[in-house]
Amino acid sequence: MAISARKKLILGKLEGNYGVDSGPLGANALLASNVSISALEAETVDRELLKPYLGASSVFHVGEHIKLSFNIENQSFGTDASAPAFADLLRACGMSETLITEVGSEAAVYAPRSEEFESVTLYYYEDNILHKVLGCRGTFGFGLEPNTLTKLAFNFTGLYAGPVIESAPVPDWSAFLDPTPVSPKNTANFNLHDVAGEAHKFSFELGHEVAYEARLTSEEVKIGSRATTGSITIDAPALTTMDFFERVRASVMGPFHVEHGKNKGKIVEFDAPNVQLLTPKYGDANGTTTIEMGMSFVPLIGNDEFTLTYR
């Protein structure tokens, strides 16, 4: 019987111990889109055998692992006053989690970390074929652009396990909220280097270097380094308001803030205290001059280059 390319499901649950199957169930279903899997990544070792004739030698596959990427709508936690439904994924991307439970100030705050990285077990179902991906760690990015839905784009690497036949469970997506489109009605409090300008779009990349590592007696997916970057496009301000070209030339640092969502329980905030702007370029938005700039999010004292807050 043919395998249906339309029937897909991803489950995800944080691991208690690295690489040990956390056994995600239907309650751990991820409301995902734009899924891509490389179900067997590996290197090959050629035997390089001597033969009295021409022809290839057989090879062995080594360092087997899996890469899995997908998008999740970037939405807060609703009325539950808890972490967002995809919190385990953020934590497996090297993010610390702080839950604020004070009544009226409930929030979940995520910041980068440099050690004690957590991991997640992901189950990927292609119809009735299950790929279990253990020990997953990754990176993510997201963007804000008018008339779109803001989505977290996750890229995970995990340990290889062969496919098995197993029917997918009934997914429970009740913890996932309906998304809030990016628009002037829903996106506010934009501030770049203390200037509340008019923004056209913003993109962000956590920038983890994630790699599979095989040792003699063990294997692990490791987060090796981080360089967090982004880009911003704004209406070009008058030079008397802000000379961004001079700030770029002089390597002047400054803060950045933007909020998406207006109602409690559906607000996502991005804050960065120490942003360096790069390579400004003029553009044209329906006759208005714009400036597009790269962004480098630089730590102050460590693990503080940005925070992502859901409240």
Side-chain angles (χ1 to χ4, degrees):
M1 186 174 66
I3 299 169
S4 174
R6 301 291 182 266
K7 297 165 66 177
K8 304 176 190 288
L9 180 66
I10 303 176
L11 313 179
K13 185 179 179 182
L14 206 67
E15 295 177 343
N17 295 291
Y18 181 77
V20 178
D21 190 349
S22 60
L25 305 172
N28 307 113
L30 301 172
L31 193 58
S33 62
N34 194 31
V35 178
S36 176
I37 185 170
S38 182
L40 177 54
E41 291 269 327
E43 298 179 4
T44 57
V45 178
D46 195 318
R47 298 179 70 189
E48 299 181 341
L49 300 174
L50 297 177
K51 299 184 289 282
Y53 47 82
L54 302 180
S57 296
S58 61
V59 299
F60 290 97
H61 286 81
V62 296
E64 303 97 325
H65 57 282
I66 296 176
K67 292 186 176 181
L68 181 60
S69 64
F70 51 88
N71 294 348
I72 299 284
E73 292 164 347
N74 193 9
Q75 190 57 271
S76 195
F77 49 66
T79 58
D80 289 346
S82 60
F86 45 84
D88 285 1
L89 304 181
L90 294 175
R91 291 171 63 177
C93 287
M95 302 290 287
S96 65
E97 178 184 72
T98 302
L99 299 180
I100 300 172
T101 58
E102 181 181 350
V103 176
S105 301
E106 297 91 343
V109 183
Y110 298 87
R113 64 196 314 171
S114 297
E115 58 187 4
E116 298 181 353
F117 297 116
E118 297 179 281
S119 58
V120 69
T121 292
L122 296 174
Y123 283 10
Y124 172 77
Y125 289 88
E126 180 93 16
D127 200 345
N128 67 340
I129 298 177
L130 167 61
H131 293 266
K132 293 185 178 183
V133 196
L134 309 183
C136 291
R137 291 178 173 137
T139 190
F140 69 89
F142 72 93
L144 292 170
E145 188 168 358
N147 305 319
T148 66
L149 300 177
T150 177
K151 297 182 180 183
L152 294 160
F154 288 100
N155 291 280
F156 284 103
T157 301
L159 307 180
Y160 177 78
V164 297
I165 297 174
E166 183 175 310
S167 297
V170 176
D172 178 4
W173 291 309
S174 58
F176 288 85
L177 304 182
D178 290 336
T180 302
V182 180
S183 73
K185 295 180 180 179
N186 299 318
T187 311
N189 296 328
F190 171 84
N191 187 290
L192 176 64
H193 280 218
D194 296 317
V195 174
E198 294 291 338
H200 291 265
K201 59 183 178 180
F202 164 65
S203 68
F204 162 88
E205 289 292 339
L206 176 58
H208 274 154
E209 181 181 293
V210 181
Y212 168 83
E213 181 179 284
R215 310 182 188 98
L216 288 179
T217 59
S218 65
E219 58 182 346
E220 182 182 359
V221 173
K222 299 183 70 174
I223 295 174
S225 66
R226 179 178 67 246
T228 303
T229 60
S231 67
I232 188 75
T233 301
I234 60 173
D235 282 353
L239 287 180
T240 52
T241 301
M242 173 65 75
D243 185 346
F244 279 112
F245 293 92
E246 178 57 23
R247 292 183 80 82
V248 170
R249 190 200 65 78
S251 299
V252 177
M253 316 297 281
F256 175 71
H257 175 87
V258 67
E259 296 177 16
H260 177 61
K262 294 290 185 71
N263 300 317
K264 182 180 178 182
K266 298 196 74 174
I267 298 173
V268 182
E269 293 183 4
F270 183 88
D271 283 284
N274 197 43
V275 179
Q276 182 173 12
L277 300 173
L278 308 167
T279 58
K281 299 176 182 177
Y282 282 129
D284 183 334
N286 298 313
T288 297
T289 298
T290 62
I291 297 179
E292 178 183 355
M293 293 175 283
M295 308 173 81
S296 177
F297 300 91
V298 180
L300 289 170
I301 60 173
N303 303 317
D304 58 354
E305 54 260 55
F306 73 92
T307 55
L308 191 57
T309 303
Y310 297 88
R311 62 178 179 84

